[in-house]
Amino acid sequence: MTKIVILTGAGISAESGLETFRASDGLWAQHRVEDVATPEGFARNPKLVVDFYNARRAQAAEVSPNAAHRALARLEAELDGEVVVITQNVDDLHEQGGSRQVMHMHGALKGALCAACDHRWPAPMVMAPGDACPACNAPAARPDIVWFGEMPYQMDALFDHLVEADVFAAIGISGNVYPAAGFVAEARRAGAHTIEFNLERSAVGNQFAEHRIGPASQTVPEWVAEVLAARR
Ligand code: BV8
């Protein structure tokens, strides 16, 4: 049975209107990553960090999935095999687009986490520093986001999927952030065919066997149609 593992990054949500990280007008252009996406930044200025994620949560609530998200959901629904989406993104556009097996390795804007007892609950649209945890009541609520220096989620399960992949596709990632950027090497080692979808080659582009250059809303639906036709 065919198993396709797909890693997505900010580039798949760009055409839905969400800023990427490294575009010149991207998120990091307006903020220093050390200030808004590290535990140290959160400890130093929790309001700056919580407001950064409040703004992104509000922005994410305004946008819709694009044809690339919908194509991946079609692939999962129609392929005689298994499709796993591993996303670096913290928006829920894959779920809105219809994908069911989605792994948020860097957390999710819709999640809140208690820094004191590890309890998780659906985040309110607007979080404030010192919000109480509904389980232990400590004033220790934080966005359920994996910051730089923190361990990404579900790493063991992710690697189990990678080593079983027949095809590994990366869509809209710059290949700058590890361990996600290292997944292509793992998949290749396990014998997967590797494809990169991007506007240009990523920092790990030379590790992919195949490249589909262009906007994901065009290249991904084309690829999905080919994959499904080939297996009919
Ligand atoms: C960890 C949540 C330690 C926050 C994020 C090894 C070598 C070097 C450094 C490290 C290393 N190992 C660890 C590190 C440190 C660090 C790291 O990699 N630093 C980099 C900057 C050098 N990594 C970590 O800290 C990670 N933690 O490794 O734990 C550890 C290890 C073992 C045991 C214990 C602890 C945690 C990293 C997670 C940080 N959190 N996100 C938030 O969202 O606010 S990272 C964030 O940036 C994203 O989640 C994503 O992962 C990352 C990069 O963003 P991309 O998605 O790639 O987006 P970007 O804008 O960069 O690129 C967009 C791409 O799309 C471009 O290529 C563009 O061309 C393309 N595109 C644009 N439009 C389109 C398109 N493509 C197609 N169609 C379009 N229309």
Side-chain angles (χ1 to χ4, degrees):
M1 193 166 80
T2 304
K3 178 158 186 167
I4 300 181
V5 177
I6 298 153
L7 171 67
T8 65
I12 198 170
S13 298
E15 291 168 88
S16 293
L18 290 183
E19 292 164 307
T20 64
F21 290 82
R22 280 164 185 75
S24 55
D25 58 348
L27 283 166
W28 303 128
Q30 301 143 33
H31 302 281
R32 280 168 17 97
V33 65
E34 300 80 357
D35 294 338
V36 292
T38 62
E40 296 77 16
F42 181 64
R44 211 171 28 248
N45 186 341
K47 180 150 179 44
L48 174 74
V49 174
V50 169
D51 285 347
F52 175 65
Y53 289 100
N54 287 338
R56 291 180 60 197
R57 193 173 302 108
Q59 194 192 38
E62 294 300 311
V63 300
S64 307
N66 63 57
H69 296 106
R70 287 193 298 274
L72 294 186
R74 179 188 174 207
L75 182 65
E76 182 181 11
E78 297 182 22
L79 182 74
D80 176 19
E82 186 184 5
V83 175
V84 180
V85 173
I86 300 169
T87 188
Q88 300 175 166
N89 299 337
V90 293
D91 61 62
D92 65 343
L93 292 176
H94 281 299
E95 293 84 347
Q96 286 188 50
S99 286
R100 288 196 304 279
Q101 193 162 0
V102 181
M103 304 173 82
H104 283 270
M105 65 179 290
H106 290 164
L109 288 167
K110 286 204 159 179
L113 166 66
C114 176
C117 76
D118 258 2
H119 177 63
R120 285 180 165 81
W121 67 97
M125 273 306 284
V126 180
M127 295 184 77
D131 278 347
C133 166
C136 75
N137 215 26
R142 57 167 276 187
D144 189 10
I145 299 283
V146 176
W147 287 324
F148 287 93
E150 295 186 323
M151 189 58 162
Y153 293 153
Q154 306 179 71
M155 287 301 286
D156 293 342
L158 295 184
F159 276 97
D160 289 347
H161 287 305
L162 286 175
V163 296
E164 293 167 358
D166 299 300
V167 177
F168 174 75
I171 304 172
I173 72 160
S174 57
N176 293 308
V177 173
Y178 288 81
F183 287 178
V184 56
E186 285 300 321
R188 271 182 85 106
R189 225 191 316 277
H193 174 60
T194 54
I195 316 175
E196 174 172 73
F197 295 80
N198 203 310
L199 298 177
E200 60 189 9
R201 291 224 173 176
S202 75
V204 289
N206 62 350
Q207 297 181 40
F208 287 83
E210 186 183 351
H211 299 85
R212 304 245 177 156
I213 301 295
S217 67
Q218 289 167 30
T219 57
V220 176
E222 279 165 16
W223 171 66
V224 166
E226 283 171 32
V227 169
L228 293 175
R231 283 165 175 74
R232 276 211 178 80

